[in-house]
Amino acid sequence: MSFDYDLFVIGGGSGGVRAARIAAGTHGAKVALAEEFRMGGTCVIRGCVPKKLMVFASEYPGMVEDARSYGWDAQIGGFDWSVFRAKLDAELTRLEKAYRGGLSGAGVTVFDSRAVLVDAHTVQLADGKTVSAKHILVATGGAPFVPEIEGRALAITSNEIFQMDALPARVLVVGGGYIASEFACILNGLGCKVSQYYRGAQILRGFDDEARGHVADAMRENGVDIHCGTDVMRLEQVDGGIKAVATNGSETVFDAVLYATGRKPNSGGLGLEALGVELGRAGQIVVDDYSQTAVPSIFAVGDVTDRINLTPVAIREGHAFADTIFGGQRRRVDHSLFASAVFTQPEMGTIGLSEEAAREREPIEVYATAFRPMQTAFAGRPDRVMMKLIVSQASRKILGCHIVAPGAGEMIQLVGIAVTMGATKEQFDATIAVHPTMAEELVTMRSPVRTG
Ligand code: NDP
């Protein structure tokens, strides 16, 4: 049977684009890709990239304040959101072009259209045209989820935040995960008055407890008004803003309410279930270790599979899929160990098990330190950083590393190499420190603070 293409990819985000480029450019497959919105997906268009640029923007007031403590006659004026937004839009357009260029350079045919599945080898584009392919890869990502509360239409999500006309003076951020905590810090740094409502006992559930506590304390010190054990019951449009009626009995008016209460896989309306592709309870496409669905010609990678919802993981999954199907090398992605960072202020970098999760598994030693780093201590700031290693008593391997510090994302990337290689505490100790740095503490912690 002959097909129009060897591979048809639905979705031009991190996972889909990598799979298409490797399949076509490296392995010589005939590939097409359909994207209904802007090329680059969540990460490039309304996620990691614009978020990180906003993090940078939000850090300048603190830097200028510190500069004064170092003797500079420095002052910062107001922040002009319209100037930043115009530059941000231009940067995203540049990146989108680069993504398109990468695809066309690899020989991939791009359809600027939604595509849905018709059968196990056929997709239909928005104009009704059908295209056949030997393999179909679904890489449609995820979308923000807002719970069914009264007045939910008044809320914005991370999709809209980069498109705001003006910065709101008073913002409520709902949720306690990555996105909520990052935006609470960003908006606070940009000069908004930020409240964060989180339904649980402590933000950043799932991360190391000590590290979460450290981040939350620092966020509060920096001015974010965090209310744990608090959720919104309803939102109402009132004169002068949006009133949030909360479970703690408060009724407060804000200029904007940002919901960051998780994301759901974009698997609806694609025709998947009718073809026999299994979907999980959250709507995620169920795949095996090789990203293959229950229908042998249909594969899925990235957030739509709800495994580890991070860009570098989606890229790995897309690459491994292309190598497996078109490169003759059966490759799978190990999801058990990955480094990641939460770009709160201060940042948190983490790899491996939290102290709590490690203790459930085996006897451990915990090495931890918290101190005022040189740069900000000199400026008179109270900021403290935290470094923590979780060590297996039996194998001596580092089971987890948690860093809360400026630049923690950069640090954990490098620690990640050692931990992924299976480094032991003694190998960390044998590493000569780089002085004076914050990260030298990672190789100079002599005695455990806790064992057991
Ligand atoms: P998360 O799953 O991290 O957090 C969702 C938050 O919303 C949790 O605090 C959760 O509470 C809360 N929540 C969920 N449902 C409700 C509800 N019905 N009512 C009130 N609160 C609710 O999702 P995010 O949207 O923050 O991020 C999505 C994913 O994107 C992350 O998991 C991550 O993989 C990725 N991401 C990664 C980043 C990075 O690497 N730096 C940055 C941003 C996103 P509870 O804890 O009680 O369940």
Side-chain angles (χ1 to χ4, degrees):
M1 191 174 169
S2 82
F3 299 102
D4 298 328
Y5 293 95
D6 299 317
L7 171 65
F8 195 99
V9 180
I10 307 179
S14 305
V17 168
R18 174 59 71 94
R21 287 184 60 179
I22 299 301
T26 306
H27 302 308
K30 191 176 177 202
V31 180
L33 180 149
E35 167 58 55
E36 65 179 332
F37 187 55
R38 295 178 68 181
M39 200 63 74
T42 299
C43 172
V44 175
I45 303 298
R46 45 197 181 189
C48 323
V49 171
K51 179 275 304 287
K52 190 83 188 272
L53 290 167
M54 278 181 84
V55 170
F56 293 141
S58 71
E59 286 174 339
Y60 284 99
M63 288 184 203
V64 172
E65 211 178 292
D66 286 358
R68 291 174 67 81
S69 305
Y70 275 80
W72 289 97
D73 175 18
Q75 298 196 34
I76 197 154
F79 176 68
D80 190 336
W81 168 254
S82 61
V83 170
F84 175 78
R85 210 193 110 172
K87 281 207 73 178
L88 183 64
D89 287 344
E91 176 62 4
L92 300 188
T93 302
R94 185 187 72 77
L95 288 170
E96 189 180 357
K97 273 204 190 108
Y99 264 70
R100 281 185 185 277
L103 285 168
S104 61
V108 177
T109 303
V110 172
F111 295 100
D112 290 300
S113 164
R114 183 171 171 80
V116 297
L117 290 108
V118 179
D119 65 37
H121 294 284
T122 311
V123 299
Q124 184 170 41
L125 303 175
D127 63 3
K129 182 182 170 185
T130 56
V131 181
S132 66
K134 187 166 184 202
H135 304 279
I136 296 171
L137 178 70
V138 183
T140 46
F145 151 80
V146 179
E148 293 291 336
I149 56 145
E150 199 183 319
R152 74 198 277 272
L154 296 168
I156 58 167
T157 68
S158 58
N159 277 356
E160 290 81 45
I161 195 129
F162 306 109
Q163 301 301 325
M164 291 185 301
D165 292 330
L167 270 189
R170 302 157 300 176
V171 191
L172 170 63
V173 178
V174 184
Y178 282 82
I179 297 180
S181 304
E182 288 178 346
F183 273 105
C185 294
I186 289 169
L187 294 167
N188 182 53
L190 292 177
C192 308
K193 187 172 179 303
V194 180
S195 300
Q196 183 178 0
Y197 291 179
Y198 170 53
R199 65 183 179 181
Q202 180 59 288
I203 60 167
L204 296 169
R205 185 168 64 82
F207 291 95
D208 183 87
D209 277 354
E210 207 172 356
R212 298 160 72 193
H214 196 104
V215 172
D217 289 349
M219 283 173 63
R220 285 194 172 101
E221 256 168 41
N222 291 338
V224 179
D225 187 20
I226 302 177
H227 295 258
C228 290
T230 305
D231 208 353
V232 173
M233 293 195 295
R234 65 174 191 279
L235 298 174
E236 285 171 31
Q237 185 75 61
V238 293
D239 274 354
I242 302 164
K243 183 162 83 178
V245 180
T247 50
N248 62 0
S250 67
E251 298 193 1
T252 315
V253 177
F254 298 94
D255 299 301
V257 177
L258 170 66
Y259 258 78
T261 42
R263 295 172 61 84
K264 288 266 183 281
N266 270 335
S267 59
L270 292 172
L272 290 162
E273 277 163 307
L275 297 183
V277 173
E278 191 190 340
L279 299 185
R281 277 182 56 195
Q284 77 275 25
I285 299 179
V286 177
V287 289
D288 68 9
D289 286 350
Y290 297 92
S291 298
Q292 190 169 31
T293 72
V295 177
S297 60
I298 302 176
F299 294 75
V301 295
D303 287 7
V304 77
T305 63
D306 199 18
R307 288 177 279 182
I308 306 290
N309 297 329
L310 298 173
T311 285
V313 176
I315 290 172
R316 276 295 167 89
E317 289 168 358
H319 201 132
F321 155 79
D323 284 349
T324 302
I325 301 301
F326 302 104
Q329 326 155 38
R330 217 164 144 69
R331 284 184 54 209
R332 53 201 259 180
V333 178
D334 179 2
H335 292 95
S336 65
L337 192 61
F338 57 91
S340 75
V342 187
F343 293 99
T344 40
Q345 292 165 32
E347 265 174 48
M348 174 160 73
T350 178
I351 183 165
L353 300 175
S354 65
E355 178 179 343
E356 298 70 39
R359 185 168 289 119
E360 298 246 306
R361 196 186 277 196
E362 59 178 295
I364 54 169
E365 288 177 356
V366 178
Y367 295 80
T369 179
F371 58 96
R372 292 177 72 198
M374 204 175 181
Q375 187 177 7
T376 46
F378 185 85
R381 277 211 239 169
D383 304 23
R384 293 169 75 76
V385 306
M386 192 204 94
M387 311 261 163
K388 183 167 178 180
L389 294 173
I390 319 293
V391 179
S392 160
Q393 284 189 21
S395 69
R396 305 300 300 155
K397 282 188 179 170
I398 307 289
L399 301 176
C401 175
H402 311 282
I403 303 173
V404 181
E410 306 290 344
M411 293 184 213
I412 205 70
Q413 177 65 83
L414 303 180
V415 171
I417 300 170
V419 174
T420 304
M421 290 172 76
T424 62
K425 177 67 170 67
E426 284 62 36
Q427 286 167 326
F428 267 57
D429 293 346
T431 306
I432 292 178
V434 178
H435 185 73
T437 64
M438 291 179 275
E440 68 182 302
E441 295 292 329
L442 291 167
V443 297
T444 54
M445 289 189 276
R446 293 275 156 251
S447 313
V449 292
R450 287 180 288 281
T451 55

